[in-house]
Each structure stands twice: as structure tokens, then as C-alpha cells.
Amino acid sequence: MFEYVFDPDRDYLFALCLAPRMGGAAITRIIERNQMLGRSPSQFFNMPPTSLQDEYDLNPEAAEALAFGAQKLRDVLEHFSRRSLGRLSVVTPDSPMYPARIQQFISAPPAFLFVYGNLAVLKQKTFSVACSRNPNDQILLNLERAVEQGVLNGEQLVTGANTNAYRRGAVVPLRRGSPRILVLDREMFTALGDNLNKEPFRAA
């Protein structure tokens, strides 16, 4: 039987990401200030809401949710934990698992990313295939061939999920039993199902 117990160290990043009215800038501000002060997650969560507002420039609703042991977030965190069962992780820009190329190409990279699966794949050689918005059948066939060649070269495909071309390319590694890295533009449970085991592009 699943029993959720709030753990400040384990749930620190999840609490920041799931708190109401929390943008990327606020999350980054909290992480950086806590690192600078040497303030532990337990110490942070035990602060009163007024201190959180003043020290971290937080929205009152966010400060109220995070204060006193993230008490107002407990139900949200429990629901999230029941679904993920420890299978999801959060990475922030200060984590070695955070994709360095995002920081190179985006002036304001996301403050956090949810990741799921074999994280070792992120350390392998990767490639992507670009395609026009309205490709014809021949272009899609060429895309599939290009992806297949990359897979045969031992590289890991990084692809999106919001165009037909991306979906066509995403199924190619499956035929070869190769891993791939999917960048989702929708909620992970929506894309992969409640058990995180649904193939999102089955019909592609």
C-alpha cells in the first residue's frame, strides 16, 4: 500500500515546481539563494510565508503554499507521488544532467525539466533531423531514412512531438530496438499514460 511521507530533501524540487504561481525565475531565485546561504530544504520549508515573500520575492500564494513544511502542498505532492512512484526526476540548470545545449541556444532556459526513463541516454552521442512544416511523402521518407542512418551509427535521436514529421521520425528507433529522447510539449501523463508506459506515436 502506498503511503506518502513528505521528505524535504527528496521533494524539494518537486515542491518548487508544483507550487502555485511559481515561474521559472522564482524557482531559479530560490535555488540560487539557498545555495549561496547554505540553507537546507528543511530550513527553507520551515520559514514563515512573510519571510519567503521578503527574501525570495515570491507571490503570496506561492509563499503560503511553501511555508511551514510545504503543508499546503502535501495533497498535491502525494497525488503526484502516487502517479510517478519515484520514476520521474527533476533537473535544474545547476544539475549535471541538465542539457547544456539548451543553455547555449536559449537566453532564458527553463528553470526545470521533468525527465523519465534511462537518463544514461542523455550522455550518449545524439542527433536531430529538421523538417519543413508541410512535408510531402518523399520528404517524410527521406527523413525516416536519415533517422535510420543515425540510429545505425549508434547515435540517439532527439525529437519533438508536435508535428507529423517528428512523429514519423520518432518511431524509427523503435523498429531497431534503439532508445530515443522525446521532448514533449504536453503533460507527461497525457503523453505516456497514467502508468508512463504508453507509446505516444503508436499510429505514426
Side-chain angles (χ1 to χ4, degrees):
M1 180 178 176
F2 176 84
E3 182 179 356
Y4 172 75
V5 178
F6 179 72
D7 182 322
D9 294 310
R10 180 196 64 203
D11 298 334
Y12 173 53
L13 293 177
F14 284 113
L16 297 183
C17 298
L18 296 173
R21 308 294 296 274
M22 283 283 286
I27 293 172
T28 300
R29 201 159 53 241
I30 291 171
I31 293 172
E32 291 179 347
R33 181 165 180 78
N34 285 345
Q35 288 177 338
M36 179 184 69
L37 297 175
R39 181 172 286 160
S40 70
S42 293
Q43 292 170 327
F44 170 77
F45 287 123
N46 281 324
M47 295 175 68
T50 51
S51 295
L52 291 176
Q53 280 185 251
D54 293 341
E55 282 202 43
Y56 299 91
D57 192 24
L58 296 184
N59 177 280
E61 188 177 353
E64 186 71 26
L66 292 167
F68 301 125
Q71 188 63 46
K72 290 200 172 184
L73 276 174
R74 297 293 178 97
D75 289 343
V76 175
L77 288 164
E78 179 176 2
H79 178 69
F80 186 85
S81 296
R82 282 182 182 276
R83 300 182 75 184
S84 66
L85 295 176
R87 292 174 293 172
L88 292 179
S89 301
V90 178
V91 294
T92 56
D94 64 324
S95 167
M97 297 304 298
Y98 194 93
R101 291 179 182 176
I102 292 181
Q103 297 172 301
Q104 294 170 1
F105 289 104
I106 302 178
S107 57
F112 66 92
L113 300 170
F114 285 115
V115 294
Y116 167 65
N118 181 6
L119 302 189
V121 175
L122 296 174
K123 299 179 181 179
Q124 305 301 314
K125 188 174 182 180
T126 60
F127 75 102
S128 295
V129 178
C131 191
S132 61
R133 281 284 177 179
N134 298 298
N136 57 37
D137 290 342
Q138 185 58 51
I139 291 176
L140 290 174
L141 181 60
N142 292 341
L143 179 144
E144 289 190 16
R145 289 171 176 168
V147 172
E148 185 172 37
Q149 187 58 55
V151 170
L152 291 174
N153 289 340
E155 302 173 359
Q156 316 302 321
L157 173 69
V158 179
T159 186
N162 59 346
T163 70
N164 183 43
Y166 288 152
R167 290 189 288 270
R168 286 285 290 268
V171 298
V172 174
L174 296 181
R175 301 172 190 152
R176 294 282 180 178
S178 176
R180 69 206 166 159
I181 301 171
L182 300 180
V183 182
L184 301 173
D185 61 343
R186 56 190 185 278
E187 203 255 0
M188 196 171 290
F189 291 106
T190 299
L192 304 179
D194 285 340
N195 295 318
L196 297 176
N197 60 1
K198 183 181 75 175
E199 167 52 45
F201 311 131
R202 194 181 305 278

